[in-house]
Amino acid sequence: TLFRSLDRREPVLKFILRKNPHNSQWGDMKLYLKVQVIKRALEVWGSEDALQEAKVTRQENRDKMKQKKFDKKVKELRRAVRSSLWKKETAAHQHVYGPEEHIEEDRKS
């Protein structure tokens, strides 16, 4: 997320730890003051426009990765369907011929 790089700078932002309300087995939540987060974001990215650009870039990358993952799943599914419809014959290849016939050719000498 955009906040990870903010979290390591000095002075460290203060936060409150709370249990995750969605699932108690998940990690604790860190709750920050919104004003401090906005101030730190402006320090890191310089302006609101740069921050918005970073958000847009991250969203585009996220969308690309989702599409790539989807395409990969579709490709695997197609491969699985194709392989289940096509059965490779394991028997040896043999030709079937009719009864033998002897044909005499006219030889002119």
Side-chain angles (χ1 to χ4, degrees):
T1 64
L2 292 171
F3 196 66
R4 287 189 186 143
S5 59
L6 298 177
D7 206 18
R8 295 188 181 99
R9 292 179 172 240
E10 293 293 330
V12 177
L13 295 179
K14 295 187 180 197
F15 57 87
I16 301 170
L17 279 178
R18 292 281 187 249
K19 290 281 185 192
N20 195 316
H22 301 287
N23 188 334
S24 60
Q25 295 184 355
W26 292 349
D28 293 341
M29 298 184 308
K30 290 182 178 181
L31 304 176
Y32 295 88
L33 284 175
K34 189 173 184 176
V35 175
Q36 289 178 338
V37 173
I38 292 171
K39 183 179 174 186
R40 181 64 57 93
L42 291 176
E43 284 177 22
V44 172
W45 280 282
S47 68
E48 287 189 34
D49 293 336
L51 177 60
Q52 281 303 111
E53 185 63 33
K55 285 181 180 180
V56 168
T57 302
R58 285 175 186 257
Q59 184 62 43
E60 288 171 354
N61 289 341
R62 191 175 301 121
D63 292 344
K64 285 179 188 175
M65 293 305 291
K66 278 185 178 181
Q67 185 63 42
K68 193 173 181 181
K69 186 176 181 181
F70 175 77
D71 292 343
K72 186 177 180 182
K73 294 257 186 194
V74 169
K75 188 175 181 182
E76 288 175 9
L77 184 61
R78 284 184 179 151
R79 186 180 302 125
V81 168
R82 250 193 326 238
S83 66
S84 68
L85 294 176
W86 181 72
K87 302 284 184 194
K88 183 176 181 182
E89 290 190 31
T90 56
H93 180 79
Q94 293 182 357
H95 291 277
V96 178
Y97 298 104
E100 281 189 28
E101 294 179 18
H102 185 67
I103 301 174
E104 289 188 30
E105 294 182 18
D106 292 332
R107 292 188 186 185
K108 295 180 183 178
S109 314

